[in-house]
Amino acid sequence: MKNTLLTLALLLTLFFANAQITYEHTYPLSVLPLIKLETSGYKYVLVDTQITLYNLDHTVFKQIQIPVQPGADSYVIHYLSETLFNTDSSDMEYLLVGTIGTFGIGDRHYVKIYTDMGNTIFSKDSVSLMYGGGNSNGYYTQAIPIRNTSEGTKLFLLEDGIVLGNATRVYSLPGSLECLSCIAQNGISGLNNVGADAGFLSTAPNPASNFTRINFRLPDGSQKGNMVIYSMEGRELKRYPVDRSSEYLTLSVIDLASGTYFYSLEAEGKSPTARRMIVIR
């Protein structure tokens, strides 16, 4: 009996030891991207004026300096990849969407694809990534900017227009998305604002169907502001006061119809920054 109890105690000790949850590391982000590179595997990603990739043991894997974007009020990094834009896996590439303007309505955009050495392998003005969702002739549609297909991987760029899009351009890419990126926006979606006074805005999930979390950082010198939601036509729909006590706002989009909206951070004495938000059903 004694031996049986000792054996049971040993088994319980081993079980709880194996089931133990252990702390690993802390990153200074409220939303931490985890991506899967085609040859190098899973990496954590931090984005500011450079892209820093970390191994799963939290050691630095690679640091990539983002080229200066003259004239841009903000830019967003998407789709960090080793073979999507260039099949030479010794290089790493990423897509950058720059925005000229701070309100959203009438902003101009451009898309560039850079190598990790800062070389430009693609550049197109007056376009942005295509996002959207809704019903068309009774069928549900969801627009994602890069999709794997039976005829290769396609990149969809939306031409700038009065209502953000007069036409869509389709490009063939040499590589393909990793499975984590096949359906939704992935790879990496980190927002970088040029200049310390521009503030910070990002949201996830985007597209959203029920709730989304807007991450923000008030510009230097501002103690409070307002997060404002606008329609495509620029009509104010919602307004929420924010301050430095928090760096995120949980937003319900249940009462919004499928479509494209803007969310804008308006702060004291600073030009408002704005980003696009997609609602799908």
Side-chain angles (χ1 to χ4, degrees), residues 28-45:
L29 288 176
S30 56
V31 177
L32 179 66
L34 176 65
I35 68 171
K36 184 182 180 184
L37 297 172
E38 293 89 334
T39 60
S40 300
Y42 289 97
K43 306 296 175 188
Y44 299 108
V45 183

Side-chain angles (χ1 to χ4, degrees), residues 206-242:
N206 190 14
S209 57
N210 294 309
F211 293 89
T212 190
R213 173 167 160 162
I214 300 177
N215 302 291
F216 68 90
R217 187 178 306 120
L218 286 167
D220 292 345
S222 296
Q223 299 301 315
K224 60 183 180 179
N226 289 284
M227 192 69 67
V228 187
I229 311 302
Y230 292 94
S231 68
M232 284 282 289
E233 297 74 29
R235 180 168 55 90
E236 182 176 319
L237 302 176
K238 301 171 184 255
R239 176 177 290 264
Y240 303 93
V242 296

